[in-house]
Amino acid sequence: MEVKELESRVDDSIMSQITSLGHEQLVVCHDKDTGLKALIGIHNTVLGPALGGTRMWNYANESEAIRDVLRLSRGMTYKAAVTGLNLGGGKAVLIGDAKTMKTEAFLRRFGKFIESLNGKYITAEDVNMKMSDMEYIAMETKHVTGLPIYRGGSGDPSPVTAYGTYVGMKAMAKKAYGNESLENKKIWVQGVGQVGMYLTEHLRKENATVYISDIDEEKIAKVAKATGAKGVSAEEAYDLDIDVYAPCALGATLNDDTIPRLQCSIIAGAANNQLEDEIKHGYDLMKKGILYAPDFVINAGGLINVYLDYMKEYNKERSYSMAEKIYDNCASIVRVAEEENLSPQEAAIHIGDKRISEVGNVKLPR
Ligand code: NAD
């Protein structure tokens, strides 16, 4: 059943939402002493424990937080499934102001809630969480991954995410132009934070012409100076005559307003949830002849990194060699999409569902 169809059936009750989106569990956590209010979404654990980061956000209301955790944890299921990892999909959200509420006790209490799930959910760093926050959480639970290198963890996953995005972009170029080279291609990297910065470095090394935008002018100046990329204003960038658009900032940048403006032939970037409407905008891009690399396929480098860390098998070489396979994953998704006349987004979801179902059957007793 497609997401759009699912969502149209969803009413506001929690049970209705988790039933429709296919979640196994939604854990609601509260601690009156620290003010902790957290939600842990466990979407699917057929392939393995539900791994996904914790983010903190000042949600306008609880329904928004529930919607976010359900959508994000479902996304993690598919990211792991198509990447070939033995992980399920999970995500946690902490509700409130990240600047004022994250005390040691608050974070450790949250760690205790994670511990109480006995490894069914494994957490990592996400939006508005710092490594120091994760260290507090790790004082109360062993089910934390992606800790700093000085703690024996795998550290910042952004370089691997950027590398996976880079090789995925090359696979899309091979499909669109018959040649994977990005030399002299005009590429817009939107957002030069951690991932965007490393991606720009890869692209410049290959002599691509790179345009960069960010709401932070200082970041543009820094990355432009270091790499020779050209700074552009966030708004004018959508109208640029380019070959590739690489969203590396926010979600939902592919929508009714932006798609008609885009003049690229490929979209390949690391931002999560790029399509505002997973179905409609996936098909709008297809109709426009733009090849889209589904975000959860191309940005899986970070998940590969924390997966190896969690398995106690992390080393940098292994992480990069697994991320290299994102090239093949992107190539097979666009092939299946073409063969079955699906958008790449839908093709990726079908591939993920197939693996979950097949591996799930293997695990059943005989
Ligand atoms: P980051 O916060 O370091 O960088 C994001 C950058 O985008 C910042 O420089 C910010 O100023 C900029 N930005 C925000 N709004 C913008 C706008 N409207 N226009 C242009 N720039 C804007 O984050 P990151 O770790 O580099 O991650 C980038 C994206 O990739 C996020 O969507 C993240 O969820 C996703 N992602 C990251 C990883 C990872 O390993 N870091 C893994 C998977 C997915």
Side-chain angles (χ1 to χ4, degrees), residues 39-68:
L39 299 166
I40 302 172
I42 298 173
H43 180 254
N44 187 299
T45 56
V46 170
L47 296 175
L51 194 156
T54 295
R55 67 171 49 180
M56 184 152 187
W57 200 257
N58 218 347
Y59 292 98
N61 52 54
E62 281 172 22
S63 310
E64 204 180 83
I66 291 168
R67 204 176 155 73
D68 208 27

Side-chain angles (χ1 to χ4, degrees), residues 181-209:
S181 170
L182 297 170
E183 189 175 1
N184 295 326
K185 292 282 181 270
K186 290 180 276 178
I187 302 170
W188 166 33
V189 178
Q190 181 187 42
V192 280
Q194 288 300 99
V195 179
M197 174 188 68
Y198 291 117
L199 176 63
T200 302
E201 284 175 7
H202 288 296
L203 298 173
R204 287 293 301 135
K205 272 191 203 136
E206 204 177 323
N207 272 328
T209 303

Side-chain angles (χ1 to χ4, degrees), residues 79 157-158 161 190-196 213-216 219 248-250 270-272 299:
K79 190 182 298 204
S158 308
T161 304
Q190 181 187 42
V192 280
Q194 288 300 99
V195 179
S213 66
D214 202 292
I215 46 169
D216 184 337
K219 283 189 185 169
C248 293
L250 308 167
N272 280 313
N299 74 11

Side-chain angles (χ1 to χ4, degrees), residues 52-358:
T54 295
R55 67 171 49 180
M56 184 152 187
W57 200 257
N58 218 347
Y59 292 98
N61 52 54
E62 281 172 22
S63 310
E64 204 180 83
I66 291 168
R67 204 176 155 73
D68 208 27
V69 79
L70 294 181
R71 188 178 55 95
L72 292 165
S73 51
R74 175 180 175 274
M76 293 307 295
T77 294
Y78 287 109
K79 190 182 298 204
V82 295
T83 308
L85 305 177
N86 292 321
L87 289 176
K91 202 86 182 182
V93 299
L94 299 172
I95 301 171
D97 185 351
K99 290 204 180 86
T100 57
M101 288 178 67
K102 281 191 292 176
T103 61
E104 176 183 354
F106 176 98
L107 293 162
R108 292 181 70 159
R109 191 71 192 89
F110 177 58
K112 284 195 92 154
F113 277 113
I114 295 174
E115 185 62 19
S116 72
L117 296 171
N118 292 317
K120 192 172 188 185
Y121 169 67
I122 299 152
T123 199
E125 193 187 346
D126 200 72
V127 177
N128 282 333
M129 298 296 284
K130 295 188 289 215
M131 277 292 173
S132 53
D133 300 330
M134 303 315 290
E135 289 189 68
Y136 280 130
I137 293 171
M139 286 176 190
E140 303 296 338
T141 179
K142 53 189 173 303
H143 306 298
V144 181
T145 182
L147 284 170
I149 291 168
Y150 63 79
R151 289 263 326 239
S154 53
D156 180 12
S158 308
V160 185
T161 304
Y163 181 69
T165 305
Y166 168 64
V167 298
M169 192 186 287
K170 287 176 81 62
M172 303 308 269
K174 171 89 178 151
K175 175 72 191 160
Y177 313 123
N179 183 334
E180 66 173 45
S181 170
L182 297 170
E183 189 175 1
N184 295 326
K185 292 282 181 270
K186 290 180 276 178
I187 302 170
W188 166 33
V189 178
Q190 181 187 42
V192 280
Q194 288 300 99
V195 179
M197 174 188 68
Y198 291 117
L199 176 63
T200 302
E201 284 175 7
H202 288 296
L203 298 173
R204 287 293 301 135
K205 272 191 203 136
E206 204 177 323
N207 272 328
T209 303
V210 184
Y211 300 95
I212 53 173
S213 66
D214 202 292
I215 46 169
D216 184 337
E217 296 282 334
E218 276 179 29
K219 283 189 185 169
I220 297 184
K222 190 182 108 194
V223 178
K225 189 164 176 231
T227 63
K230 300 173 188 177
V232 288
S233 83
E235 260 315 293
E236 74 175 310
Y238 283 108
D239 302 309
L240 285 174
D241 179 11
I242 47 170
D243 299 296
V244 184
Y245 164 38
C248 293
L250 308 167
T253 61
L254 301 172
N255 54 49
D256 288 342
D257 295 330
T258 59
I259 292 173
R261 292 169 65 185
L262 289 171
Q263 300 181 50
C264 55
S265 37
I266 294 173
I267 297 173
N272 280 313
N273 302 315
Q274 293 168 25
L275 298 167
E276 188 175 79
D277 180 321
E278 186 170 297
I279 304 302
K280 176 182 186 294
H281 295 130
Y283 280 98
D284 284 352
L285 291 173
M286 222 173 134
K287 273 184 244 150
K288 233 188 135 175
I290 298 177
L291 205 52
Y292 171 67
D295 45 29
F296 60 90
V297 180
I298 197 167
N299 74 11
L303 183 63
I304 291 170
N305 222 52
V306 293
Y307 170 70
L308 291 172
D309 186 343
Y310 157 73
M311 297 290 287
K312 310 258 178 286
E313 289 175 7
Y314 175 76
N315 66 63
K316 197 173 160 189
E317 291 69 31
R318 176 111 192 266
S319 185
Y320 275 80
S321 87
M322 282 175 74
E324 192 104 39
K325 296 199 180 111
I326 291 175
Y327 183 105
D328 293 336
N329 292 346
C330 286
S332 51
I333 279 155
V334 290
R335 195 185 56 246
V336 170
E338 197 171 65
E339 282 167 7
E340 299 186 14
N341 199 27
L342 295 170
S343 73
Q345 181 84 2
E346 280 200 309
I349 287 173
H350 283 209
I351 289 169
D353 276 334
K354 186 162 177 277
R355 176 161 182 255
I356 293 168
S357 157
E358 287 174 0

